[in-house]
Amino acid sequence: MPQNKQQRASFEDLLNSTTRSAVHLEMRDDYGIAGEAEEFEQWKRTGEVDLDPGSEGWSRWTSLVQSAVARGVVMRRARIISEPVSEYIKYEHATTAVNVAVGEQVRWLPRRRASDIALPGNDFWLFDDRLVRFNHFTGDGDGAGFEYTEDQAIIKLCANAFEAVWERAIPHEEYKV
């Protein structure tokens, strides 16, 4: 069972204290994050997305990533996705160019190729193989909080799951939606 240590630590604080690696595994086909709703709707109407890493919508994230990468932190993100992909995944794929431009490595794994991988039940971030932050979501994809653990068995499960997904996943530049 995850512990709630560092419950009050912000994501920024966690990433700023990371020295080697930050990995993120995403496993949902749809996220209903309120902060993305307007841009997602605009993309559905126009097919256009904000790809400027310095724009107001991106600058907080891109500054954080660029700072971590400049310190030598390797940031990797893997996404397990159903095919055909959802509208949200198409949108997410379109915006991923910004993540890559600022130093994140991103890969995509079709869900059918993940059937034999032992996966935790929730999306997560793993910082320096020392702390897991699970991201909880409601059924409609809205954020429902976080849970933290330093339990070594859970860290090992998450690290092994991420590496198994990463090995099979397709680099962003090669994955077409």
Side-chain angles (χ1 to χ4, degrees), residues 127-145:
F127 301 94
D128 284 339
D129 292 324
R130 66 174 170 76
L131 175 74
V132 173
R133 182 181 98 157
F134 287 107
N135 299 345
H136 295 294
F137 296 92
T138 64
D140 61 3
D142 197 14

Side-chain angles (χ1 to χ4, degrees), residues 11-128:
F11 180 85
E12 290 82 1
D13 290 340
L14 292 172
L15 189 56
N16 285 334
S17 68
T18 299
T19 60
R20 295 181 321 280
S21 78
V23 301
H24 185 35
L25 183 60
E26 298 177 18
M27 299 181 282
R28 295 180 57 95
D29 289 320
D30 193 16
Y31 293 87
I33 306 302
E36 295 176 342
E38 188 176 315
E39 185 175 339
F40 181 45
E41 289 303 317
Q42 177 184 330
W43 173 82
K44 288 194 293 187
R45 285 190 315 275
T46 67
E48 296 175 10
V49 291
D50 175 9
L51 296 178
D52 176 6
S55 71
E56 183 179 339
W58 280 105
S59 63
R60 183 171 167 221
W61 177 252
T62 58
S63 295
L64 191 60
V65 172
Q66 288 170 322
S67 175
V69 170
R71 291 192 320 274
V73 175
V74 176
M75 291 190 65
R76 297 183 294 160
R77 179 186 304 256
R79 294 176 170 136
I80 298 174
I81 43 120
S82 300
E83 291 180 320
V85 299
S86 67
E87 285 299 300
Y88 183 85
I89 294 299
K90 289 178 187 176
Y91 159 76
E92 196 172 49
H93 188 273
T95 63
T96 297
V98 175
N99 301 79
V100 172
V102 297
E104 277 190 78
Q105 300 171 40
V106 180
R107 293 187 180 180
W108 305 82
L109 182 64
R111 193 171 308 281
R112 70 181 181 285
R113 294 178 53 194
S115 296
D116 61 341
I117 299 173
L119 298 167
N122 296 289
D123 290 10
F124 65 86
W125 279 93
L126 173 58
F127 301 94
D128 284 339

Side-chain angles (χ1 to χ4, degrees), residues 116-174:
D116 61 341
I117 299 173
L119 298 167
N122 296 289
D123 290 10
F124 65 86
W125 279 93
L126 173 58
F127 301 94
D128 284 339
D129 292 324
R130 66 174 170 76
L131 175 74
V132 173
R133 182 181 98 157
F134 287 107
N135 299 345
H136 295 294
F137 296 92
T138 64
D140 61 3
D142 197 14
F146 310 104
E147 201 168 359
Y148 301 83
T149 187
E150 294 174 315
D151 180 296
Q152 289 300 304
I154 296 172
I155 288 170
K156 184 178 179 181
L157 168 69
C158 292
N160 290 343
F162 184 87
E163 293 305 327
V165 168
W166 190 257
E167 281 295 312
R168 292 183 189 180
I170 302 161
H172 174 71
E173 299 77 18
E174 297 173 22

